[in-house]
Amino acid sequence: MSQIAVFGANGTIGSAIVREALHRGHQVTAVVRDPAKITESHPSLTVTKGDVLDPASVRSAAAGRDVLVSAVGGGDGPGHLATIEPAARSLVEGLRALGDQAPRLISVGGAGSLRTPDGSLVWDAPGLPEWLLQIMHAHGDALDYYRTVSDVSWTSLSPAATIEPGERTGDYRTAQEQLVAAADGTSRISVEDYAVAVIDEIEQPQHLGERFACGY
Ligand SMILES: NC(=O)c1ccc[n+]([C@@H]2O[C@H](COP(=O)([O-])OP(=O)(O)OC[C@H]3O[C@@H](n4cnc5c(N)ncnc54)[C@H](OP(=O)(O)O)[C@@H]3O)[C@@H](O)[C@H]2O)c1
């Protein structure tokens, strides 16, 4: 059983990660800007207030935990620009302040910087709207930053191109730098199975200091 703190715990992906962690017997702290947004109650769930952009808040949320998960997002493109890469820096600064006691970090990433079967990057596909490109590149900037960090243990997990609420099958595939796609070219994963992949990585770390991707 691990002690897991989750930023973004009331979001679409973060709430699935919280549910999966509780389902698998972990102790979870949901770290949210507005605790009233967490309506779920569970004997192993604690709710605390925190802002991922405040390193002191990160430090306090992370203290005494085994793993810190960040599933934060910024809504539209400009919101992501203001949130994603600054959050990466704040998370690392807050964890650094805990020195040897810092838990490992698992951050929800983006699919834009993954390679498609023809070798191009997802975000180079023609016709992508500007708001989506901003989100993809915000995640790319955060990943570039994480890759400069060697004194905090981090992992970034990029979802498939499409991630939405669906079924928990427990079956998914992983890749390193490639978009995980089916034979027909579609790339998708349910938020429930993405959450399974996050908790699998927590229970059996295989991607310390690197990004990996998951999908069907
Ligand atoms: N295919 C892909 O690559 C793909 C697809 C979907 C999502 N994603 C990424 O996955 C992440 C999560 O997506 P989602 O759909 O679950 O987003 P979401 O439902 O909008 O949830 C975002 C969460 O972030 C929290 N948050 C934002 N700023 C915060 C701050 N300063 N401090 C603490 N919490 C903060 C929000 O809390 P409040 O309620 O307080 O605002 C919310 O809980 C995003 O980064 C998104 O870009 C990637």
Side-chain angles (χ1 to χ4, degrees):
M1 187 271 291
S2 292
Q3 295 275 353
I4 304 170
V6 182
F7 275 101
N10 62 304
T12 305
I13 295 175
S15 60
I17 293 170
V18 169
R19 280 193 299 277
E20 180 67 20
L22 292 171
H23 172 67
R24 304 225 329 225
H26 299 289
Q27 291 278 343
V28 180
T29 302
V31 194
V32 285
R33 291 187 287 191
D34 177 4
K37 287 189 179 176
I38 300 281
T39 50
E40 186 177 350
S41 82
H42 187 285
S44 299
L45 176 66
T46 305
V47 181
T48 187
K49 200 172 158 78
D51 187 329
V52 78
L53 297 178
D54 173 10
S57 194
V58 171
R59 177 189 173 151
S60 143
R65 319 282 173 218
D66 302 302
V67 184
L68 180 63
V69 175
S70 174
V72 300
D76 58 7
H80 268 70
L81 286 180
T83 305
I84 298 300
E85 198 257 0
R89 291 181 182 275
S90 176
L91 285 158
V92 168
E93 187 179 334
L95 288 169
R96 271 191 184 130
L98 291 170
D100 291 348
Q101 303 302 309
R104 62 185 286 230
L105 169 66
I106 299 190
S107 184
V108 177
S113 58
L114 295 167
R115 289 204 180 273
T116 61
D118 71 8
S120 63
L121 295 171
V122 170
W123 60 36
D124 287 335
L128 294 174
E130 182 57 28
W131 64 267
L132 182 55
L133 283 169
Q134 285 187 359
I135 293 174
M136 288 176 165
H137 283 281
H139 280 291
D141 291 346
L143 181 59
D144 285 346
Y145 170 69
Y146 283 133
R147 284 176 165 154
T148 70
V149 173
S150 56
D151 57 340
V152 165
S153 179
W154 63 273
T155 298
S156 176
L157 177 51
S158 291
T162 300
I163 172 167
E164 51 197 10
E167 196 186 342
R168 181 193 186 284
T169 69
D171 286 330
Y172 63 90
R173 294 182 299 128
T174 63
Q176 203 72 40
E177 292 297 317
Q178 289 77 35
L179 183 73
V180 179
D184 65 1
T186 56
S187 171
R188 53 174 295 276
I189 191 162
S190 69
V191 293
E192 291 82 359
D193 280 333
Y194 179 90
V196 170
V198 169
I199 305 304
D200 285 349
E201 175 64 22
I202 286 174
E203 293 181 351
Q204 295 190 328
Q206 296 188 49
H207 298 281
L208 298 176
E210 62 186 33
R211 174 264 287 277
F212 72 112
C214 64
Y216 297 134

